């Protein structure tokens, strides 16, 4: 990781190495924290944060779902992002990844979190393609995971909460161990849900298809991709997808803040389409 000079923590700019927390912080032991992944792109006028309002709104929505009371408003958090990027501007020479996190600090132990203090931190650093530049250009190998996506009857998928990502971490580890780049998780009914940290699209017969939000996060990059497709006149379907339908798709790709738009060239040793980024995928990448 390429370190920056400052991290914004609880209302102050703190030197990167000093932005620490206590070993008995509640979140470390029980997993209740909410976070976001946001990107800032280098433009001719400087860094521009991608859909900042939407990302902060989702952060606050996530906090509400898991009963964390935010000490900061939407406007205060937006200003904090801008303050951090300005303070670190000499550290950035390209696109930047931003990670705000709201977590439970030191003060109480036990499962109940009601009296735990709430902290907020924002870090930002230069970070390239999450799944690799080659993956962006030529596509990645994917494995259907043996782990199913957290079911809605057990976890709350509309919250971007730290505890949910153990499921993703194990799926990713399994995929990497099998020589693949990423995992595709099914829901508990056997339909495609999402990747370990991305939403999923296929192209069939000229239509762009993506799963519904039944048990997944409401993705900002997925919504952006759908908007771009509509602007380009591409027919869109949001419906259930089976694993075998992916095998016979013309194209497939992942979307996400970190992954952006990454083509899938292979799933479970089946080549998707022509085994590289398809024409529709390329058009959406360029528009994005």
């Amino acid at each position: 990781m390429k370190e920056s000079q400052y991290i914004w923590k609880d209302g102050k700019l703190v030197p990167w190495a000093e932005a620490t927390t206590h070993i008995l912080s509640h979140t470390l032991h029980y997993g209740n924290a909410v976070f976001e992944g946001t990107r800032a792109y280098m433009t001719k006028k400087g860094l521009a944060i991608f859909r900042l309002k939407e990302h902060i709104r989702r952060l606050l929505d996530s906090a509400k779902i898991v009963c964390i009371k935010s000490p900061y408003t939407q406007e205060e958090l937006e200003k904090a992002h801008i303050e951090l990027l300005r303070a670190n501007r000499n550290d950035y020479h390209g696109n930047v990844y931003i990670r705000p996190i709201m977590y439970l600090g030191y003060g109480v132990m036990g499962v109940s979190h009601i009296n735990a203090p709430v902290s907020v931190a924002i870090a930002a650093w230069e970070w390239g393609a999450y799944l690799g530049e080659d993956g962006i250009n030529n596509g990645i190998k994917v494995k259907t995971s043996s782990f199913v996506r957290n079911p809605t009857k057990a976890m709350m998928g509309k919250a971007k909460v730290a505890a949910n990502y153990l499921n993703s971490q194990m799926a990713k580890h399994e995929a990497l161990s099998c020589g693949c780049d990423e995992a595709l998780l099914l829901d508990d009914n056997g339909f495609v849900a999402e990747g370990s940290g991305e939403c999923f699209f296929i192209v069939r017969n000229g239509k762009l298809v993506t799963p519904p939000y039944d048990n997944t996060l409401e993705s900002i990059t997925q919504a952006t991709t759908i908007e771009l497709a509509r602007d380009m006149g591409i027919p869109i379907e949001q419906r259930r997808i089976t694993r075998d339908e992916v095998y016979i798709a013309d194209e497939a790709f992942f979307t996400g803040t970190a992954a952006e738009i990454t083509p899938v060239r292979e799933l479970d040793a089946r080549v998707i389409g022509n085994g590289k980024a398809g024409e529709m995928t390329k058009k959406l990448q360029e528009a994005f």
Side-chain angles (χ1 to χ4, degrees), residues 8-12 56 59-61 63 68-81 83 101-103 118-122:
W8 188 96
K9 186 173 186 289
D10 294 329
K12 298 178 181 179
I56 298 305
L59 179 74
L60 294 172
D61 286 346
I68 294 176
K69 187 175 181 180
S70 174
Y72 300 98
T73 65
Q74 168 100 20
E75 184 179 4
E76 288 170 336
L77 291 170
E78 289 175 17
K79 288 180 177 178
H81 278 68
E83 179 186 3
I101 183 168
M102 190 178 301
Y103 64 98
V118 178
S119 285
V120 180
I122 309 167

Side-chain angles (χ1 to χ4, degrees), residues 24 67-68 90 125:
L24 292 181
C67 301
I68 294 176
N90 293 330
W125 64 94

Side-chain angles (χ1 to χ4, degrees), residues 2-8 13-16 42 47 80-93 96-97 122-126:
K2 187 176 181 181
E3 296 183 4
S4 301
Q5 187 173 359
Y6 296 109
I7 287 175
W8 188 96
L13 291 170
V14 179
W16 182 285
M42 190 63 72
L47 285 171
H81 278 68
I82 295 166
E83 179 186 3
L84 177 65
L85 293 190
R86 284 177 174 162
N88 288 333
R89 61 184 176 275
N90 293 330
D91 298 325
Y92 306 139
H93 305 286
V96 174
Y97 184 83
I122 309 167
W125 64 94
E126 282 191 9

